[in-house]
């Protein structure tokens, strides 16, 4: 029997967050099909299809990392368009495969080699969950959805982002925006990720 390396309940909590978050993302991807794939998003360089493609590619990386495949060789599979002619179906497949790998026996105690170095599976799950929570907000704004996230998902992402020191230096996020007093946890999260919480479709 493998030894759990983390606080009691940590595995169950992060898997619950991922399950809730992925379900919420799937709902938005369904709306994206109706709303239009070319609509703008808070990510100025991406339309809705670009954003969904990026999220899907992130999910496709999960089995690669857990299988300890060569990331350079495997990465070529996820360059360009990964959605094909059935974006919703491809996204659902990526979600299912990612969740299955995170839920596998011993996965959250396993060390995976990410692009910047090694991290345990639990840390990887928290990092991915936080990143995709921000992208949920991006997509929700882009498709003008009134849907909300469970507070447990928002709180988990906010705790992860508060632990980071200089996200802008990674080149993956804009510089954090000032967090106004009495702001909501979700608005604080997107501000830390360099998004304007007031962004709306014109």
């Amino acid at each position: 029997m493998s030894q759990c390396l983390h606080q009691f309940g940590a595995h169950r909590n992060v898997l619950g967050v991922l399950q809730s978050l992925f379900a919420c993302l799937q709902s938005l991807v369904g709306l994206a099909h109706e709303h239009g794939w070319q609509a703008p998003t808070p990510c100025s360089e991406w339309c809705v299809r670009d954003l969904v493609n990026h999220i899907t590619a992130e999910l496709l990386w999960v089995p690669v990392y857990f299988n300890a495949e060569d990331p350079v060789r495997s990465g070529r599979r996820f360059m360009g368009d990964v959605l094909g002619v059935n974006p919703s179906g491809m996204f659902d497949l990526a979600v299912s495969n990612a969740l299955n790998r995170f839920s596998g026996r011993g996965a959250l105690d396993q060390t995976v080699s990410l692009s910047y170095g090694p991290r345990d599976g639990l840390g990887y799950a928290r990092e991915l969950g936080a990143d995709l929570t921000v992208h949920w907000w991006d997509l929700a704004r882009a498709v003008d959805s009134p849907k909300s996230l469970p507070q447990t998902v928002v709180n988990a992402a906010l705790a992860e982002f508060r632990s980071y020191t200089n996200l802008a230096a990674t080149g993956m996020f804009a510089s954090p925006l000032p967090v106004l007093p009495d702001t909501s946890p979700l608005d604080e999260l997107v501000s830390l990720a360099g998004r304007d919480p007031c962004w709306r479709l014109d």
Side-chain angles (χ1 to χ4, degrees):
M1 179 181 296
S2 60
Q3 181 181 6
C4 179
L5 305 177
H6 305 108
Q7 184 177 6
F8 178 77
H11 291 192
R12 181 179 64 251
N13 291 343
V14 77
L15 290 176
V17 164
L18 291 182
Q19 288 170 340
S20 297
L21 172 59
F22 290 172
C24 291
L25 280 166
Q26 286 174 300
S27 178
L28 289 184
V29 171
L31 291 176
H33 179 72
E34 302 171 6
H35 192 81
W37 291 109
Q38 300 306 312
T41 76
C43 306
S44 59
E45 297 180 356
W46 289 343
C47 65
V48 166
R49 185 181 175 97
D50 294 331
L51 175 58
V52 174
N53 189 74
H54 172 78
I55 297 170
T56 305
E58 283 202 69
L59 294 168
L60 290 173
W61 270 106
V62 175
V64 174
Y65 285 133
F66 278 112
N67 290 345
E69 298 178 29
D70 180 353
V72 175
R73 180 179 302 173
S74 299
R76 297 192 186 102
R77 285 187 261 160
F78 312 134
M79 293 177 64
D81 178 49
V82 300
L83 297 177
V85 298
N86 184 10
S88 295
M90 189 63 197
F91 184 78
D92 289 345
L93 178 63
V95 163
S96 177
N97 289 342
L99 194 56
N100 284 342
R101 293 315 305 262
F102 279 121
S103 303
R105 184 178 180 85
L108 298 182
D109 291 315
Q110 179 180 335
T111 298
V112 293
S113 296
L114 304 178
S115 59
Y116 57 80
R119 192 168 190 186
D120 66 5
L122 181 67
Y124 175 33
R126 287 172 170 166
E127 176 183 316
L128 181 67
D131 183 60
L132 295 189
T133 299
V134 174
H135 286 322
W136 174 93
W137 180 89
D138 293 331
L139 189 54
R141 288 293 182 272
V143 300
D144 198 25
S145 171
K147 295 178 181 293
S148 60
L149 277 175
Q151 198 60 46
T152 52
V153 174
V154 177
N155 290 344
L158 186 55
E160 183 72 10
F161 266 75
R162 284 173 173 168
S163 72
Y164 299 150
T165 55
N166 191 2
L167 274 174
T170 67
M172 299 174 64
F173 293 89
S175 297
L177 300 181
V179 177
L180 300 176
D182 300 322
T183 192
S184 70
L186 183 57
D187 284 354
E188 179 181 351
L189 174 66
V190 299
S191 295
L192 290 174
R195 271 74 164 166
D196 179 0
C198 296
W199 190 96
R200 294 290 188 278
L201 283 170
D202 293 335

PDB file of all heavy atoms in Angstrom, residues 49-82:
ATOM      1  N   ARG A  49     -12.916  30.092 -29.482  1.00  0.00           N
ATOM      2  CA  ARG A  49     -12.355  28.795 -29.896  1.00  0.00           C
ATOM      3  C   ARG A  49     -10.906  28.672 -29.457  1.00  0.00           C
ATOM      4  O   ARG A  49     -10.476  27.600 -29.007  1.00  0.00           O
ATOM      5  CB  ARG A  49     -12.470  28.607 -31.407  1.00  0.00           C
ATOM      6  CG  ARG A  49     -12.012  27.210 -31.853  1.00  0.00           C
ATOM      7  CD  ARG A  49     -12.094  27.013 -33.350  1.00  0.00           C
ATOM      8  NE  ARG A  49     -11.527  25.714 -33.715  1.00  0.00           N
ATOM      9  CZ  ARG A  49     -12.221  24.603 -33.919  1.00  0.00           C
ATOM     10  NH1 ARG A  49     -13.546  24.626 -33.814  1.00  0.00           N
ATOM     11  NH2 ARG A  49     -11.624  23.472 -34.240  1.00  0.00           N
ATOM     12  N   ASP A  50     -10.132  29.736 -29.572  1.00  0.00           N
ATOM     13  CA  ASP A  50      -8.738  29.705 -29.116  1.00  0.00           C
ATOM     14  C   ASP A  50      -8.664  29.370 -27.629  1.00  0.00           C
ATOM     15  O   ASP A  50      -7.799  28.594 -27.196  1.00  0.00           O
ATOM     16  CB  ASP A  50      -8.067  31.050 -29.358  1.00  0.00           C
ATOM     17  CG  ASP A  50      -7.918  31.401 -30.829  1.00  0.00           C
ATOM     18  OD1 ASP A  50      -7.806  30.481 -31.654  1.00  0.00           O
ATOM     19  OD2 ASP A  50      -7.930  32.607 -31.144  1.00  0.00           O
ATOM     20  N   LEU A  51      -9.549  29.991 -26.847  1.00  0.00           N
ATOM     21  CA  LEU A  51      -9.550  29.767 -25.401  1.00  0.00           C
ATOM     22  C   LEU A  51      -9.914  28.325 -25.073  1.00  0.00           C
ATOM     23  O   LEU A  51      -9.244  27.671 -24.256  1.00  0.00           O
ATOM     24  CB  LEU A  51     -10.528  30.737 -24.729  1.00  0.00           C
ATOM     25  CG  LEU A  51     -10.743  30.572 -23.226  1.00  0.00           C
ATOM     26  CD1 LEU A  51      -9.428  30.699 -22.465  1.00  0.00           C
ATOM     27  CD2 LEU A  51     -11.766  31.599 -22.727  1.00  0.00           C
ATOM     28  N   VAL A  52     -10.972  27.810 -25.705  1.00  0.00           N
ATOM     29  CA  VAL A  52     -11.373  26.427 -25.455  1.00  0.00           C
ATOM     30  C   VAL A  52     -10.283  25.467 -25.925  1.00  0.00           C
ATOM     31  O   VAL A  52     -10.003  24.450 -25.278  1.00  0.00           O
ATOM     32  CB  VAL A  52     -12.717  26.120 -26.147  1.00  0.00           C
ATOM     33  CG1 VAL A  52     -13.077  24.634 -26.019  1.00  0.00           C
ATOM     34  CG2 VAL A  52     -13.834  26.975 -25.535  1.00  0.00           C
ATOM     35  N   ASN A  53      -9.632  25.803 -27.021  1.00  0.00           N
ATOM     36  CA  ASN A  53      -8.526  24.980 -27.512  1.00  0.00           C
ATOM     37  C   ASN A  53      -7.389  24.940 -26.487  1.00  0.00           C
ATOM     38  O   ASN A  53      -6.812  23.879 -26.212  1.00  0.00           O
ATOM     39  CB  ASN A  53      -8.017  25.546 -28.837  1.00  0.00           C
ATOM     40  CG  ASN A  53      -7.029  24.631 -29.525  1.00  0.00           C
ATOM     41  OD1 ASN A  53      -7.398  23.601 -30.077  1.00  0.00           O
ATOM     42  ND2 ASN A  53      -5.755  25.002 -29.492  1.00  0.00           N
ATOM     43  N   HIS A  54      -7.071  26.087 -25.902  1.00  0.00           N
ATOM     44  CA  HIS A  54      -6.010  26.164 -24.898  1.00  0.00           C
ATOM     45  C   HIS A  54      -6.360  25.323 -23.665  1.00  0.00           C
ATOM     46  O   HIS A  54      -5.513  24.573 -23.158  1.00  0.00           O
ATOM     47  CB  HIS A  54      -5.798  27.620 -24.484  1.00  0.00           C
ATOM     48  CG  HIS A  54      -4.875  27.791 -23.327  1.00  0.00           C
ATOM     49  ND1 HIS A  54      -3.500  27.716 -23.433  1.00  0.00           N
ATOM     50  CD2 HIS A  54      -5.138  28.034 -22.005  1.00  0.00           C
ATOM     51  CE1 HIS A  54      -2.947  27.888 -22.250  1.00  0.00           C
ATOM     52  NE2 HIS A  54      -3.913  28.092 -21.367  1.00  0.00           N
ATOM     53  N   ILE A  55      -7.590  25.450 -23.181  1.00  0.00           N
ATOM     54  CA  ILE A  55      -8.013  24.678 -22.011  1.00  0.00           C
ATOM     55  C   ILE A  55      -7.949  23.184 -22.312  1.00  0.00           C
ATOM     56  O   ILE A  55      -7.471  22.384 -21.493  1.00  0.00           O
ATOM     57  CB  ILE A  55      -9.443  25.080 -21.590  1.00  0.00           C
ATOM     58  CG1 ILE A  55      -9.484  26.546 -21.161  1.00  0.00           C
ATOM     59  CG2 ILE A  55      -9.939  24.179 -20.461  1.00  0.00           C
ATOM     60  CD1 ILE A  55     -10.891  27.079 -20.963  1.00  0.00           C
ATOM     61  N   THR A  56      -8.427  22.804 -23.493  1.00  0.00           N
ATOM     62  CA  THR A  56      -8.419  21.390 -23.879  1.00  0.00           C
ATOM     63  C   THR A  56      -6.990  20.857 -23.932  1.00  0.00           C
ATOM     64  O   THR A  56      -6.715  19.753 -23.453  1.00  0.00           O
ATOM     65  CB  THR A  56      -9.111  21.209 -25.239  1.00  0.00           C
ATOM     66  OG1 THR A  56     -10.421  21.764 -25.193  1.00  0.00           O
ATOM     67  CG2 THR A  56      -9.204  19.731 -25.615  1.00  0.00           C
ATOM     68  N   ALA A  57      -6.084  21.634 -24.495  1.00  0.00           N
ATOM     69  CA  ALA A  57      -4.691  21.205 -24.568  1.00  0.00           C
ATOM     70  C   ALA A  57      -4.097  21.022 -23.172  1.00  0.00           C
ATOM     71  O   ALA A  57      -3.342  20.065 -22.928  1.00  0.00           O
ATOM     72  CB  ALA A  57      -3.872  22.213 -25.370  1.00  0.00           C
ATOM     73  N   GLU A  58      -4.430  21.917 -22.250  1.00  0.00           N
ATOM     74  CA  GLU A  58      -3.950  21.762 -20.870  1.00  0.00           C
ATOM     75  C   GLU A  58      -4.422  20.438 -20.282  1.00  0.00           C
ATOM     76  O   GLU A  58      -3.674  19.751 -19.572  1.00  0.00           O
ATOM     77  CB  GLU A  58      -4.443  22.918 -20.012  1.00  0.00           C
ATOM     78  CG  GLU A  58      -3.691  24.212 -20.195  1.00  0.00           C
ATOM     79  CD  GLU A  58      -3.842  25.128 -18.994  1.00  0.00           C
ATOM     80  OE1 GLU A  58      -3.295  24.805 -17.914  1.00  0.00           O
ATOM     81  OE2 GLU A  58      -4.529  26.167 -19.124  1.00  0.00           O
ATOM     82  N   LEU A  59      -5.663  20.080 -20.549  1.00  0.00           N
ATOM     83  CA  LEU A  59      -6.205  18.822 -20.038  1.00  0.00           C
ATOM     84  C   LEU A  59      -5.558  17.616 -20.715  1.00  0.00           C
ATOM     85  O   LEU A  59      -5.324  16.581 -20.078  1.00  0.00           O
ATOM     86  CB  LEU A  59      -7.718  18.791 -20.231  1.00  0.00           C
ATOM     87  CG  LEU A  59      -8.508  19.810 -19.409  1.00  0.00           C
ATOM     88  CD1 LEU A  59      -9.955  19.886 -19.885  1.00  0.00           C
ATOM     89  CD2 LEU A  59      -8.459  19.470 -17.924  1.00  0.00           C
ATOM     90  N   LEU A  60      -5.249  17.744 -21.991  1.00  0.00           N
ATOM     91  CA  LEU A  60      -4.605  16.650 -22.711  1.00  0.00           C
ATOM     92  C   LEU A  60      -3.200  16.367 -22.178  1.00  0.00           C
ATOM     93  O   LEU A  60      -2.695  15.239 -22.312  1.00  0.00           O
ATOM     94  CB  LEU A  60      -4.529  16.984 -24.201  1.00  0.00           C
ATOM     95  CG  LEU A  60      -5.860  16.985 -24.961  1.00  0.00           C
ATOM     96  CD1 LEU A  60      -5.668  17.509 -26.380  1.00  0.00           C
ATOM     97  CD2 LEU A  60      -6.483  15.593 -24.987  1.00  0.00           C
ATOM     98  N   TRP A  61      -2.577  17.369 -21.564  1.00  0.00           N
ATOM     99  CA  TRP A  61      -1.245  17.170 -21.002  1.00  0.00           C
ATOM    100  C   TRP A  61      -1.265  16.270 -19.767  1.00  0.00           C
ATOM    101  O   TRP A  61      -0.245  15.658 -19.425  1.00  0.00           O
ATOM    102  CB  TRP A  61      -0.631  18.515 -20.621  1.00  0.00           C
ATOM    103  CG  TRP A  61       0.151  19.147 -21.713  1.00  0.00           C
ATOM    104  CD1 TRP A  61      -0.205  20.215 -22.479  1.00  0.00           C
ATOM    105  CD2 TRP A  61       1.442  18.756 -22.173  1.00  0.00           C
ATOM    106  NE1 TRP A  61       0.775  20.508 -23.389  1.00  0.00           N
ATOM    107  CE2 TRP A  61       1.796  19.629 -23.229  1.00  0.00           C
ATOM    108  CE3 TRP A  61       2.332  17.748 -21.810  1.00  0.00           C
ATOM    109  CZ2 TRP A  61       3.006  19.514 -23.911  1.00  0.00           C
ATOM    110  CZ3 TRP A  61       3.538  17.642 -22.499  1.00  0.00           C
ATOM    111  CH2 TRP A  61       3.859  18.514 -23.522  1.00  0.00           C
ATOM    112  N   VAL A  62      -2.402  16.186 -19.083  1.00  0.00           N
ATOM    113  CA  VAL A  62      -2.435  15.477 -17.793  1.00  0.00           C
ATOM    114  C   VAL A  62      -1.969  14.033 -17.921  1.00  0.00           C
ATOM    115  O   VAL A  62      -1.052  13.603 -17.195  1.00  0.00           O
ATOM    116  CB  VAL A  62      -3.837  15.578 -17.157  1.00  0.00           C
ATOM    117  CG1 VAL A  62      -3.902  14.733 -15.878  1.00  0.00           C
ATOM    118  CG2 VAL A  62      -4.188  17.029 -16.856  1.00  0.00           C
ATOM    119  N   PRO A  63      -2.543  13.225 -18.818  1.00  0.00           N
ATOM    120  CA  PRO A  63      -2.041  11.847 -18.928  1.00  0.00           C
ATOM    121  C   PRO A  63      -0.583  11.774 -19.343  1.00  0.00           C
ATOM    122  O   PRO A  63       0.144  10.861 -18.926  1.00  0.00           O
ATOM    123  CB  PRO A  63      -2.958  11.232 -20.004  1.00  0.00           C
ATOM    124  CG  PRO A  63      -4.187  12.075 -20.010  1.00  0.00           C
ATOM    125  CD  PRO A  63      -3.709  13.465 -19.702  1.00  0.00           C
ATOM    126  N   VAL A  64      -0.133  12.718 -20.155  1.00  0.00           N
ATOM    127  CA  VAL A  64       1.268  12.725 -20.593  1.00  0.00           C
ATOM    128  C   VAL A  64       2.202  12.861 -19.397  1.00  0.00           C
ATOM    129  O   VAL A  64       3.179  12.123 -19.250  1.00  0.00           O
ATOM    130  CB  VAL A  64       1.513  13.867 -21.601  1.00  0.00           C
ATOM    131  CG1 VAL A  64       2.999  13.975 -21.939  1.00  0.00           C
ATOM    132  CG2 VAL A  64       0.700  13.641 -22.869  1.00  0.00           C
ATOM    133  N   TYR A  65       1.889  13.822 -18.520  1.00  0.00           N
ATOM    134  CA  TYR A  65       2.723  14.019 -17.337  1.00  0.00           C
ATOM    135  C   TYR A  65       2.708  12.787 -16.437  1.00  0.00           C
ATOM    136  O   TYR A  65       3.746  12.358 -15.926  1.00  0.00           O
ATOM    137  CB  TYR A  65       2.259  15.241 -16.562  1.00  0.00           C
ATOM    138  CG  TYR A  65       2.637  16.558 -17.205  1.00  0.00           C
ATOM    139  CD1 TYR A  65       1.706  17.585 -17.340  1.00  0.00           C
ATOM    140  CD2 TYR A  65       3.926  16.793 -17.659  1.00  0.00           C
ATOM    141  CE1 TYR A  65       2.050  18.803 -17.915  1.00  0.00           C
ATOM    142  CE2 TYR A  65       4.282  17.993 -18.250  1.00  0.00           C
ATOM    143  CZ  TYR A  65       3.336  18.999 -18.366  1.00  0.00           C
ATOM    144  OH  TYR A  65       3.686  20.199 -18.938  1.00  0.00           O
ATOM    145  N   PHE A  66       1.535  12.214 -16.218  1.00  0.00           N
ATOM    146  CA  PHE A  66       1.456  11.062 -15.328  1.00  0.00           C
ATOM    147  C   PHE A  66       2.074   9.814 -15.936  1.00  0.00           C
ATOM    148  O   PHE A  66       2.522   8.928 -15.204  1.00  0.00           O
ATOM    149  CB  PHE A  66       0.005  10.800 -14.914  1.00  0.00           C
ATOM    150  CG  PHE A  66      -0.459  11.677 -13.785  1.00  0.00           C
ATOM    151  CD1 PHE A  66      -1.416  12.658 -13.998  1.00  0.00           C
ATOM    152  CD2 PHE A  66       0.061  11.540 -12.516  1.00  0.00           C
ATOM    153  CE1 PHE A  66      -1.836  13.481 -12.964  1.00  0.00           C
ATOM    154  CE2 PHE A  66      -0.347  12.353 -11.466  1.00  0.00           C
ATOM    155  CZ  PHE A  66      -1.304  13.320 -11.693  1.00  0.00           C
ATOM    156  N   ASN A  67       2.104   9.742 -17.251  1.00  0.00           N
ATOM    157  CA  ASN A  67       2.736   8.600 -17.914  1.00  0.00           C
ATOM    158  C   ASN A  67       4.241   8.770 -18.052  1.00  0.00           C
ATOM    159  O   ASN A  67       4.924   7.872 -18.560  1.00  0.00           O
ATOM    160  CB  ASN A  67       2.142   8.393 -19.307  1.00  0.00           C
ATOM    161  CG  ASN A  67       0.724   7.885 -19.259  1.00  0.00           C
ATOM    162  OD1 ASN A  67       0.253   7.415 -18.230  1.00  0.00           O
ATOM    163  ND2 ASN A  67       0.019   7.995 -20.384  1.00  0.00           N
ATOM    164  N   ALA A  68       4.754   9.943 -17.611  1.00  0.00           N
ATOM    165  CA  ALA A  68       6.193  10.241 -17.696  1.00  0.00           C
ATOM    166  C   ALA A  68       6.699  10.119 -19.125  1.00  0.00           C
ATOM    167  O   ALA A  68       7.820   9.664 -19.374  1.00  0.00           O
ATOM    168  CB  ALA A  68       6.986   9.331 -16.750  1.00  0.00           C
ATOM    169  N   GLU A  69       5.860  10.535 -20.095  1.00  0.00           N
ATOM    170  CA  GLU A  69       6.295  10.545 -21.494  1.00  0.00           C
ATOM    171  C   GLU A  69       7.241  11.724 -21.721  1.00  0.00           C
ATOM    172  O   GLU A  69       7.286  12.668 -20.944  1.00  0.00           O
ATOM    173  CB  GLU A  69       5.080  10.667 -22.420  1.00  0.00           C
ATOM    174  CG  GLU A  69       4.110   9.505 -22.320  1.00  0.00           C
ATOM    175  CD  GLU A  69       2.900   9.695 -23.224  1.00  0.00           C
ATOM    176  OE1 GLU A  69       3.047  10.353 -24.267  1.00  0.00           O
ATOM    177  OE2 GLU A  69       1.823   9.193 -22.872  1.00  0.00           O
ATOM    178  N   ASP A  70       7.975  11.664 -22.809  1.00  0.00           N
ATOM    179  CA  ASP A  70       8.874  12.748 -23.194  1.00  0.00           C
ATOM    180  C   ASP A  70       8.028  13.974 -23.540  1.00  0.00           C
ATOM    181  O   ASP A  70       7.299  13.963 -24.538  1.00  0.00           O
ATOM    182  CB  ASP A  70       9.707  12.332 -24.399  1.00  0.00           C
ATOM    183  CG  ASP A  70      10.667  13.419 -24.858  1.00  0.00           C
ATOM    184  OD1 ASP A  70      10.602  14.547 -24.329  1.00  0.00           O
ATOM    185  OD2 ASP A  70      11.476  13.133 -25.754  1.00  0.00           O
ATOM    186  N   PRO A  71       8.066  15.048 -22.726  1.00  0.00           N
ATOM    187  CA  PRO A  71       7.193  16.188 -22.980  1.00  0.00           C
ATOM    188  C   PRO A  71       7.478  16.911 -24.284  1.00  0.00           C
ATOM    189  O   PRO A  71       6.582  17.491 -24.883  1.00  0.00           O
ATOM    190  CB  PRO A  71       7.451  17.107 -21.773  1.00  0.00           C
ATOM    191  CG  PRO A  71       8.804  16.706 -21.275  1.00  0.00           C
ATOM    192  CD  PRO A  71       8.918  15.239 -21.553  1.00  0.00           C
ATOM    193  N   VAL A  72       8.735  16.887 -24.744  1.00  0.00           N
ATOM    194  CA  VAL A  72       9.069  17.555 -26.006  1.00  0.00           C
ATOM    195  C   VAL A  72       8.393  16.831 -27.166  1.00  0.00           C
ATOM    196  O   VAL A  72       7.720  17.425 -28.012  1.00  0.00           O
ATOM    197  CB  VAL A  72      10.593  17.613 -26.208  1.00  0.00           C
ATOM    198  CG1 VAL A  72      10.910  18.196 -27.569  1.00  0.00           C
ATOM    199  CG2 VAL A  72      11.237  18.427 -25.093  1.00  0.00           C
ATOM    200  N   ARG A  73       8.536  15.512 -27.195  1.00  0.00           N
ATOM    201  CA  ARG A  73       7.930  14.735 -28.275  1.00  0.00           C
ATOM    202  C   ARG A  73       6.414  14.762 -28.171  1.00  0.00           C
ATOM    203  O   ARG A  73       5.713  14.938 -29.173  1.00  0.00           O
ATOM    204  CB  ARG A  73       8.439  13.295 -28.209  1.00  0.00           C
ATOM    205  CG  ARG A  73       7.869  12.383 -29.294  1.00  0.00           C
ATOM    206  CD  ARG A  73       8.443  10.987 -29.173  1.00  0.00           C
ATOM    207  NE  ARG A  73       9.893  11.000 -29.270  1.00  0.00           N
ATOM    208  CZ  ARG A  73      10.662   9.936 -29.059  1.00  0.00           C
ATOM    209  NH1 ARG A  73      10.118   8.779 -28.727  1.00  0.00           N
ATOM    210  NH2 ARG A  73      11.978  10.033 -29.160  1.00  0.00           N
ATOM    211  N   SER A  74       5.876  14.607 -26.967  1.00  0.00           N
ATOM    212  CA  SER A  74       4.425  14.572 -26.788  1.00  0.00           C
ATOM    213  C   SER A  74       3.796  15.921 -27.068  1.00  0.00           C
ATOM    214  O   SER A  74       2.657  16.005 -27.526  1.00  0.00           O
ATOM    215  CB  SER A  74       4.086  14.135 -25.357  1.00  0.00           C
ATOM    216  OG  SER A  74       4.585  12.843 -25.101  1.00  0.00           O
ATOM    217  N   GLY A  75       4.530  17.000 -26.768  1.00  0.00           N
ATOM    218  CA  GLY A  75       3.973  18.330 -26.929  1.00  0.00           C
ATOM    219  C   GLY A  75       3.580  18.650 -28.351  1.00  0.00           C
ATOM    220  O   GLY A  75       2.699  19.468 -28.596  1.00  0.00           O
ATOM    221  N   ARG A  76       4.234  18.008 -29.309  1.00  0.00           N
ATOM    222  CA  ARG A  76       3.913  18.275 -30.710  1.00  0.00           C
ATOM    223  C   ARG A  76       2.481  17.866 -31.034  1.00  0.00           C
ATOM    224  O   ARG A  76       1.880  18.391 -31.963  1.00  0.00           O
ATOM    225  CB  ARG A  76       4.903  17.526 -31.614  1.00  0.00           C
ATOM    226  CG  ARG A  76       6.346  17.978 -31.447  1.00  0.00           C
ATOM    227  CD  ARG A  76       7.233  17.433 -32.567  1.00  0.00           C
ATOM    228  NE  ARG A  76       8.639  17.757 -32.323  1.00  0.00           N
ATOM    229  CZ  ARG A  76       9.531  16.894 -31.851  1.00  0.00           C
ATOM    230  NH1 ARG A  76       9.162  15.669 -31.575  1.00  0.00           N
ATOM    231  NH2 ARG A  76      10.786  17.262 -31.653  1.00  0.00           N
ATOM    232  N   ARG A  77       1.943  16.911 -30.265  1.00  0.00           N
ATOM    233  CA  ARG A  77       0.575  16.470 -30.507  1.00  0.00           C
ATOM    234  C   ARG A  77      -0.438  17.562 -30.206  1.00  0.00           C
ATOM    235  O   ARG A  77      -1.539  17.558 -30.719  1.00  0.00           O
ATOM    236  CB  ARG A  77       0.259  15.259 -29.617  1.00  0.00           C
ATOM    237  CG  ARG A  77       0.889  13.974 -30.064  1.00  0.00           C
ATOM    238  CD  ARG A  77       0.376  12.843 -29.218  1.00  0.00           C
ATOM    239  NE  ARG A  77       1.298  12.483 -28.165  1.00  0.00           N
ATOM    240  CZ  ARG A  77       0.955  11.809 -27.072  1.00  0.00           C
ATOM    241  NH1 ARG A  77      -0.295  11.498 -26.875  1.00  0.00           N
ATOM    242  NH2 ARG A  77       1.861  11.491 -26.175  1.00  0.00           N
ATOM    243  N   PHE A  78      -0.066  18.496 -29.339  1.00  0.00           N
ATOM    244  CA  PHE A  78      -1.033  19.482 -28.851  1.00  0.00           C
ATOM    245  C   PHE A  78      -0.762  20.875 -29.393  1.00  0.00           C
ATOM    246  O   PHE A  78      -1.300  21.852 -28.886  1.00  0.00           O
ATOM    247  CB  PHE A  78      -1.031  19.491 -27.320  1.00  0.00           C
ATOM    248  CG  PHE A  78      -1.118  18.121 -26.703  1.00  0.00           C
ATOM    249  CD1 PHE A  78      -0.287  17.766 -25.653  1.00  0.00           C
ATOM    250  CD2 PHE A  78      -2.000  17.182 -27.187  1.00  0.00           C
ATOM    251  CE1 PHE A  78      -0.348  16.505 -25.085  1.00  0.00           C
ATOM    252  CE2 PHE A  78      -2.071  15.906 -26.637  1.00  0.00           C
ATOM    253  CZ  PHE A  78      -1.252  15.569 -25.582  1.00  0.00           C
ATOM    254  N   MET A  79       0.087  20.969 -30.403  1.00  0.00           N
ATOM    255  CA  MET A  79       0.320  22.261 -31.033  1.00  0.00           C
ATOM    256  C   MET A  79      -0.792  22.534 -32.040  1.00  0.00           C
ATOM    257  O   MET A  79      -1.301  21.622 -32.682  1.00  0.00           O
ATOM    258  CB  MET A  79       1.684  22.264 -31.728  1.00  0.00           C
ATOM    259  CG  MET A  79       2.857  22.185 -30.773  1.00  0.00           C
ATOM    260  SD  MET A  79       4.446  22.114 -31.631  1.00  0.00           S
ATOM    261  CE  MET A  79       4.463  23.719 -32.429  1.00  0.00           C
ATOM    262  N   GLY A  80      -1.177  23.793 -32.149  1.00  0.00           N
ATOM    263  CA  GLY A  80      -2.224  24.135 -33.100  1.00  0.00           C
ATOM    264  C   GLY A  80      -3.592  23.723 -32.601  1.00  0.00           C
ATOM    265  O   GLY A  80      -3.862  23.671 -31.397  1.00  0.00           O
ATOM    266  N   ASP A  81      -4.458  23.397 -33.529  1.00  0.00           N
ATOM    267  CA  ASP A  81      -5.850  23.080 -33.199  1.00  0.00           C
ATOM    268  C   ASP A  81      -5.980  21.639 -32.727  1.00  0.00           C
ATOM    269  O   ASP A  81      -5.630  20.707 -33.457  1.00  0.00           O
ATOM    270  CB  ASP A  81      -6.732  23.307 -34.424  1.00  0.00           C
ATOM    271  CG  ASP A  81      -8.179  22.950 -34.150  1.00  0.00           C
ATOM    272  OD1 ASP A  81      -8.711  23.401 -33.122  1.00  0.00           O
ATOM    273  OD2 ASP A  81      -8.782  22.216 -34.955  1.00  0.00           O
ATOM    274  N   VAL A  82      -6.466  21.453 -31.487  1.00  0.00           N
ATOM    275  CA  VAL A  82      -6.707  20.106 -30.968  1.00  0.00           C
ATOM    276  C   VAL A  82      -8.193  19.777 -30.936  1.00  0.00           C
ATOM    277  O   VAL A  82      -8.571  18.658 -30.578  1.00  0.00           O
ATOM    278  CB  VAL A  82      -6.104  19.931 -29.552  1.00  0.00           C
ATOM    279  CG1 VAL A  82      -4.608  20.148 -29.560  1.00  0.00           C
ATOM    280  CG2 VAL A  82      -6.789  20.845 -28.533  1.00  0.00           C
TER     281      VAL A  82
END
